[in-house]
Every structure is written in C-alpha cells, then in structure tokens.
Amino acid sequence: MEKLTFYALSSPEKLDRIGEYLAKRLSRDVSRHKFGFVFISMEALDQLLLACHAQNLNLFVESFLKMVQKLLESNEPELQDLGTRSFIKFANIEEDTPSYHRRYDFFVSKFSSMCHNNIEGVWRVRIRLSGLRGLQGVVRKTVTDDLQVNIWEQQHMDKIIPSLLFNMHDGPSSSSSSQQDHQNLSKQTVDDDQPSGVAETCLRDLTCRAAFGNIKSVLKPVLSHLDLHELWVPSTFAVRCFKIIMYSIQAQYSYVAVHMLLNHLDENTRNSPQIKQSIVEVLAECVSIAADGSIGPSVLEVFNTLLRHLRSSVDARLTERRASKTPIKRASYSDEEQHTMFEEAIIITIGTFATILPDYQKIEIMMFIMGKVPLPTRYEHSDEDYPIPSVNGEGDLLLQNMLLKSLLEVGTKYTTVSMANTFPISFLEPLLAISVVSDSGLRLLVQQILHTLVDRHDNVGKLSVSDIPKDISQLDLRVEKSSRQDILFMKKHGLQMYWHLYENIKLSDNDKCNFNALYCTLALLCIELGGDEVLVELVRLTLAFQELASKSDGKLSVHHQCAIQALVASYFNLISQLTAIPAFCQHVQQVIEERRKRATYLVPDVVFAKNVHDVNYPSVLHLEHTSTLLFQQEVIGEALHSTGHDISRLNTPYVHRPSGIEYRQQTDNDAASINIEIESLSSSPAGNRKYAEEQITFESLKRALQSPSSDLDMEEQERERRQEILETFKSSTLDEIAAISEQRSQKMHNKLSEILDKLNKPRSTTPPCSPQGHSSLSSPSQPVQSVPLYEMKFPELLVY
C-alpha cells in the first residue's frame, strides 16, 4: 500500500488508470462474492483518495464514485455500509477544482431509500444510520459549491426531508426490533447514535445552510410530510420539527417560516379543527422563537389572517349548532368543543404575535381588532326613556366574545403610558358601546380590557368590592399624581365614560363578577386619573348610584339595589382613605357601622360573600327617608371643600341623559360654565377689553338706516342680545345650537352666492364701467364687451 501510494504521488497522471483497474477488480470481486478482496480494494481507494490532492484528482474520483455506486447497489448490508463510509470520507475532502458534470442523483435516491430500511435484525438501525450519514455527506459536498449540482431542487428535497422526518418520528421506541437487538447493535458498532438523533442533526445542518431563496424548498416537504402522514395531531412532533427549523434558520429569514405556516393554515380551512389547532400551536411556538423578525413587513395581514380563521370557526360552530334540531348529542358537543379549543389557540397565538411588537403597533392592532367586532345596531330599553344597544344575534354574540378575548390578550402585552394614546376616539367609542350590551359576559370582558389598559401600576389584583379595609395601606396600592395629559383626557372623555358606567350598573343581569369589575374600573379611574376635578366627578357619579338604588319604583330588584348600595359603600371607603380627609373617612365609617347594626344586606362583605343564601333581604327596600344608612352629599361636600376641592359641580345633581355616538350628555352645570367664562371676562383687570364684533348683515344695515337710535338704546339692545345668546346656550341642547349655527351660516352663504352671481352676469343695457369711471363702449355699433370681474378695480368702500 505504501508503494502504491508513493507511485500515485510521484506520478499523479497515472491516477485515472489506477482507479480504472481497481474499479474492474472490485466489480469482479463483488459479482463473485469475494467480500474480503472488496474490503481490500476499498481500503486502497480510500487511502489514495486521502493522500492525493492533485488537480487531476477528478479523473480518479469518477472511478471512485462508480465503485461506491456498485457497493450501494448490492443487496448485502455489509457492502452498503462500506460504500457509505467511503462516500463520507470523500465528502469530507475539499477539492481544489469543482466538477461541473458530476451528478449525485443516484446517491440522493439510494441514501433516502436506505433511511426507510425495514429489514429484520440488527442491521435495520445500522442501514438507516448509513443512509442518514450519506445524505449528510451529499449535502455537505454540494451545498457549499454553487457550480456543482443544486441540491436545493424540489426533486432532491422531496426525498431528503421526508427521510429525515421519518427517522425523527420513528424512534427506537417505535421500532419492532427487540431490546436485545439494540444491545447487540451497540456492541458491534462503534457509534451508539440512534437514527432519530442523526436525522435531527442532519436537519439542523441542512436548515442552517439554507439561503433566503432555499428556505421554501426545505419547508414545503416538511408541511407535505406532516399532511400526508397525518402527524399534526397531536402537535408534539410538528412542534419539535419546527423548533429545530426555527433554531437553525438564519434569524433574518425566520419570518418566511411564519408566513408559510399562515398560508398552510389557509389551505386547510376546510380541514378538521384539531389539525388547524395544531398548525396554530406550531405557529405560536415559531413566533416565540423568532422574536422581532418573525412577522415581517405585513403586520396587519398576519392578524387579519388569524382573525379571519377565528371568524370562520365561529361561523362553523354556529352552523353546526343550528343544524342540530334535536337535543345536542355527545358527538356534536365534542365538535363544538374542538372549535372552541381552536379559537382559544388562535387567541393565544395573537397574544404571542403582539408580544414581539412595539407598543405603537399594539395600539394599531387593538384598533384593527376592534374594527372587526360587530357593533350593536338595534336597541333594547333599560327603561322607557333611554335605549341600550344589544347584539344582533347569536352569531354576533359568539364573534364578539372571541374578538374581545383576542383584544384582551393583546392588551395584556401593552404597557400604558398616556391615556390619550391608549384610547383614541376610534377605539374608545366602540369599546364603550359594547360595554352596555345586554350580555353580561361581554360587559365583563370590556371591563377587564379597561382594567388592563388603565392599570399602569398593577393595582387591579389588589382591589375587590367585598373588601372594606379600615387601613388601606394593607392593600399596598401604588398611587401617583395624574399628569396633565391624563387630566385633559378625562375632561374630554370623562362624561362619556361616566354615562356608560351608570348605564352598566343599572342592568338587571349583573352578577358578582360584573359588580366587582365595575368597582375595579371606578377604583382605577380614581387611582390612575384621580385629579381634583375627576375626584369630584367620581363622587358625584357614586352619589347618583346611591340615589338610583334608593328609589322604590320597582325598576330594580331588591337584590340589585342592595348590590349597588354595597358597591357605593366599598367605593366611598376607598376614596375617603385615598384622599385622607378625616371628616370624609369618619362619615363613611359611621354609615358602614350603622349598616352593620341595622341593615347588613347593605354591607359589601355580606352582599358579595360566597354564601349569599345567608343574607336576609327585605321584600321592599325603602331608603329615601333613612338618612343614617345613606352617605350624605352635604357632609362629603363640606369635607372636600375643607381641603380645597371645587365642589360647585357636586352641588348639581347628576342627570342621566343619552350619551355616546347617538346621544350627548349635558347638565345644567355644564351650560353654567359658559356664564362663568363670560363673568370671568367682565371681572378681569381694567384695560381695553375686546368684545366680539357684531356681524354686519343686510338686516342690520337696514335697521341702522331706518331706525337710528341713541347710544342708550344700542347698549340695551346689546345686553338683550347677549342675554338671549346666554339663554340659548343654557336651555338648548348641543344639536339645537349646532342647527342654529348651521342655519345662519347657510343663510349667509346663500346671500353671498346670490351677490356673486349678479356680479358675474354681463349687463345687456349698460356696459360695465371701467375703473376710470367712463363707459367701456366706444360706439353704438360696436358689440358690448364686459370686463371680467377679476380685472375690475373696485373702491375700498365696496370691498368686503
């Protein structure tokens, strides 16, 4: 062997003849089953291959690959294993010059078939290991050289990827060989690796070498293999495969895998909910691994796809429910449960996607989801005066429920800084509209969304309507002073939020969870946004709750009245201790103690206790004339006034009027604010005050010419006009004021249009005058020529 190696090194031009000779000998020995000579010939070829690195090694390699092919075509496992080991040694050699005509199609096909070997005995695992290592060698040999065969072609990937996945799934536990066979195999082989581990390593190696244009060539066979072999359910193996891919793929290309999974989900729209659920679970795992680059450029498209599948699942669930005219059987219940699990998986995946987005995009996603929620279109009456929106039907109810859960999931990933940025008007109005629908579950979801977005200091978990702590420091609440932006936000949207809270608490189907959610919302408004004006408004609203529950008109049940009164007590206890006003705290404690003695059914820890049956409710609740059991507005107002709070609005009772998109809320005190502004102007320091100029109209000029009056009459008319304007703003609604303004503006616009039309019309009788004052008509025989309006020069007195 040493002499042969020396001869080949000293005469490299003889390598091709040496290879041809050894190939003939090996082919003859294989056909005669002289396996000893076959091993000797392959040993010689291997040593020559490793020793010689000349440029003409390509000629020798051709003969070498023919001999390896001859061994692999043999039916003897020993020869197949020998050929594989020789090919692996060849694959590890880095050649100086590539071979453009060399093909590896046979080796890809043969090694892939060896990966599926099912012969009996200890050779099954060994042949599979040989096939896997052979594929690994082919990939290593071809993937780094663009001038050689393209291993990323679909025909090659359709053989390599399924072979790897087959061995990853068909581990030692699923093999039919006995434990004794595995022990014998471990003694006979040097490497104790199992096919599943080698296949996983090969898949990692293949994926990490894939460039951007080759990722789809790897992922398509993976998805096809999982579909054809029904490996999506359970999702354990699919999650394992894509975890390997996502951890191996280059980070900047990870979003391609996410989009391919989304497209595959679209292709399986008509498939079973279990398969779609597994795909969504795999998608969630991929997103959590890929992090920032997983979504790619089309963020809204990703969420639109998930929401579309969520809606289709809700529609399918509703269709199955309607189709079942008979009582629901176990099978149909199981199908509905599968749809529900699929929808929950989508919601979790939406939350996972939202986690990796910046906060400004999370706001856009929440607005996008809110735009998909069906808003109420018809109204139910909570009383004879004001309508309350309700859902359109069972389908909208299910869809609203799932979309609001998705919205809540995204909201938990968002960190609130400014309320104005968190609650744009296009997001706040529809959210509040759903907060007063007839379904208590939807109302609870809306309150939870508000808790998530309003609570900036994780206080919501420490609040409970049934707790009345004498020392609020036990709750360890984090309270900070409200910023100017938050105060402006409440000035702009506070009345709308108060209206919906008032309307929400009136609904008869509220349970303990609803009352607790309303209490938490009120408490968070006080903690997070509780400026001086907001605090007074919240006290005013809470007193309106108390007045509502004190009426014995029969609109509210006794249980409902007691629950509202208990909520008021718990909330006043919180406010009084947050403000730390001694008189306020003393009054609240006195009322609560009086209730404990005379009316325990008005105490929060009794009304909202777990065992409600122990509460003895009266048949009719009469509280109008029981002042000791109610919180007094005068006492609270004096306590707030003593600490510098402006209680002017507190003295005006809260009037519940229509609000929201269709209605606007207005109190007498709101109209009085106009008077305050005018009076403050008149009481300003001495100086030249600029009054609003009177509008010059045709009527005013006519009055000035026909009836000249003295200065006293003019001042009297001015005062009357101002008083008339003030009374209009006090007594009229906003819609009426807007209509008056629009009518005045339209009248002036029509008059101006009429004047301009007259000026633009050419005069047939007399020609237009020139700016110099003489006629522009030179002789009677000449035609009339009108000067355009924009060329005329008018005196300053005529210009307005």
Side-chain angles (χ1 to χ4, degrees), residues 472-490:
I472 203 172
S473 61
Q474 300 174 358
L475 299 180
D476 193 23
L477 298 175
R478 295 176 57 192
V479 183
E480 294 182 2
K481 187 177 180 180
S482 300
S483 63
R484 182 173 178 271
Q485 291 81 2
D486 292 339
I487 294 174
L488 292 176
F489 170 80
M490 288 304 294

Side-chain angles (χ1 to χ4, degrees), residues 32 75 77 123 212 216 225 232 312 318 321 336 353 360 390 401 528 617 626 628 632 692 745 750 758 769 781 795:
R32 296 179 179 180
N75 293 327
W123 278 104
F212 175 76
K216 292 184 179 180
H225 183 82
W232 287 109
S312 64
L318 183 63
R321 185 181 295 180
E336 185 171 351
F353 268 106
Y360 74 91
S390 67
N401 188 33
E528 298 288 345
Y617 290 101
T626 313
T628 57
Q632 301 302 315
S745 175
N750 293 337
K758 289 181 179 179
C769 295
S781 61

Side-chain angles (χ1 to χ4, degrees), residues 368-613:
F368 182 73
I369 297 175
M370 197 69 232
K372 299 287 185 180
V373 178
L375 295 179
T377 55
R378 77 170 187 271
Y379 289 82
E380 295 177 354
H381 290 271
S382 59
D383 54 37
E384 63 272 9
D385 297 325
Y386 308 119
I388 295 302
S390 67
V391 294
N392 299 329
E394 186 180 7
D396 285 344
L397 178 63
L398 292 175
L399 185 59
Q400 283 178 330
N401 188 33
M402 288 300 156
L403 290 176
L404 288 177
K405 286 182 179 179
S406 304
L407 188 59
L408 178 61
E409 189 71 22
V410 178
T412 56
K413 316 298 180 184
Y414 176 74
T415 303
T416 302
V417 178
S418 172
M419 294 297 170
N421 295 333
T422 305
F423 293 103
I425 191 64
S426 58
F427 174 67
L428 180 62
E429 283 189 349
L431 185 64
L432 292 178
I434 301 177
S435 70
V436 291
V437 294
S438 58
D439 185 77
S440 61
L442 292 180
R443 299 199 303 270
L444 180 61
L445 277 174
V446 173
Q447 297 302 322
Q448 290 174 350
I449 293 171
L450 290 174
H451 300 166
T452 303
L453 298 178
V454 174
D455 185 18
R456 291 177 288 196
H457 301 93
D458 298 329
N459 290 323
V460 68
K462 307 170 186 176
L463 300 171
S464 176
V465 69
S466 60
D467 294 338
I468 310 181
K470 292 185 177 180
D471 185 7
I472 203 172
S473 61
Q474 300 174 358
L475 299 180
D476 193 23
L477 298 175
R478 295 176 57 192
V479 183
E480 294 182 2
K481 187 177 180 180
S482 300
S483 63
R484 182 173 178 271
Q485 291 81 2
D486 292 339
I487 294 174
L488 292 176
F489 170 80
M490 288 304 294
K491 283 185 177 180
K492 187 175 182 181
H493 304 291
L495 293 177
Q496 192 175 7
M497 298 180 73
Y498 302 149
W499 186 91
H500 286 88
L501 289 171
Y502 187 93
E503 197 60 54
N504 202 329
I505 207 170
K506 291 193 331 182
L507 298 177
S508 59
D509 60 340
N510 284 326
D511 54 12
K512 290 182 182 179
C513 295
N514 291 103
F515 282 113
N516 188 70
L518 287 170
Y519 169 78
C520 291
T521 303
L522 290 166
L524 290 173
L525 289 177
C526 181
I527 295 171
E528 298 288 345
L529 306 168
D532 292 342
E533 296 181 8
V534 177
L535 178 64
V536 174
E537 288 292 340
L538 289 173
V539 171
R540 181 167 168 248
L541 178 65
T542 311
L543 290 172
F545 291 164
Q546 178 179 258
E547 183 182 357
L548 171 68
S550 301
K551 297 177 181 178
S552 56
D553 51 5
K555 292 183 179 180
L556 300 180
S557 64
V558 175
H559 296 265
H560 197 174
Q561 288 178 287
C562 294
I564 295 177
Q565 293 287 357
L567 184 146
V568 170
S570 184
Y571 190 56
F572 271 140
N573 179 69
L574 176 70
I575 293 180
S576 63
Q577 298 197 47
L578 284 175
T579 55
I581 303 175
F584 195 0
C585 295
Q586 183 180 1
H587 175 64
V588 171
Q589 293 300 326
Q590 287 177 355
V591 174
I592 293 177
E593 291 300 327
E594 189 68 22
R595 289 185 178 185
R596 289 189 186 277
K597 295 176 182 178
R598 298 173 50 190
T600 57
Y601 48 82
L602 301 179
V603 182
D605 51 6
V606 176
V607 175
F608 298 111
K610 294 182 179 179
N611 193 0
V612 193
H613 303 288

Side-chain angles (χ1 to χ4, degrees), residues 622-633:
H622 295 284
L623 295 175
E624 291 91 342
H625 307 292
T626 313
S627 59
T628 57
L629 297 179
L630 298 177
F631 300 95
Q632 301 302 315
Q633 175 185 336

Side-chain angles (χ1 to χ4, degrees), residues 712-725:
L712 294 176
D713 294 336
M714 293 292 293
E715 291 180 0
E716 184 66 25
Q717 291 179 6
E718 181 69 17
R719 278 197 300 270
E720 290 179 359
R721 190 179 68 84
R722 290 180 180 274
Q723 187 65 27
E724 182 181 354
I725 293 175

Side-chain angles (χ1 to χ4, degrees), residues 65-66 68-69 72 87 103-112 134-135 138:
L65 291 179
K66 288 180 181 179
V68 172
Q69 181 176 346
L72 294 175
F87 183 83
R103 304 289 297 177
Y104 293 93
D105 297 358
F106 167 79
F107 296 101
V108 172
S109 301
K110 183 60 181 179
F111 289 140
S112 298
L135 289 177
V138 173

Side-chain angles (χ1 to χ4, degrees), residues 5-109:
T5 305
F6 176 76
Y7 177 72
L9 290 174
S10 58
S11 303
E13 67 277 2
K14 301 293 185 180
L15 272 174
D16 56 339
R17 297 187 61 185
I18 296 173
E20 291 178 3
Y21 173 75
L22 290 175
K24 291 180 182 179
R25 289 290 305 269
L26 186 137
S27 177
R28 184 179 61 188
D29 293 337
V30 168
S31 62
R32 296 179 179 180
H33 295 277
K34 295 181 179 181
F35 296 153
F37 293 106
V38 172
F39 280 96
I40 293 173
S41 300
M42 287 308 299
E43 182 67 24
L45 286 170
D46 292 342
Q47 291 190 20
L48 289 174
L49 192 65
L50 296 175
C52 301
H53 296 286
Q55 294 183 355
N56 52 2
L57 187 64
N58 284 331
L59 299 176
F60 176 75
V61 168
E62 296 302 321
S63 302
F64 173 79
L65 291 179
K66 288 180 181 179
M67 289 183 280
V68 172
Q69 181 176 346
K70 187 69 175 180
L71 294 177
L72 294 175
E73 290 175 345
S74 174
N75 293 327
E76 299 295 332
E78 296 90 344
L79 298 184
Q80 292 180 7
D81 183 60
L82 176 63
T84 303
R85 284 189 277 113
S86 297
F87 183 83
I88 294 172
K89 294 177 183 178
F90 162 71
N92 292 328
I93 297 176
E94 295 183 3
E95 300 183 55
D96 297 332
T97 57
S99 178
Y100 306 107
H101 61 281
R102 191 181 303 161
R103 304 289 297 177
Y104 293 93
D105 297 358
F106 167 79
F107 296 101
V108 172
S109 301

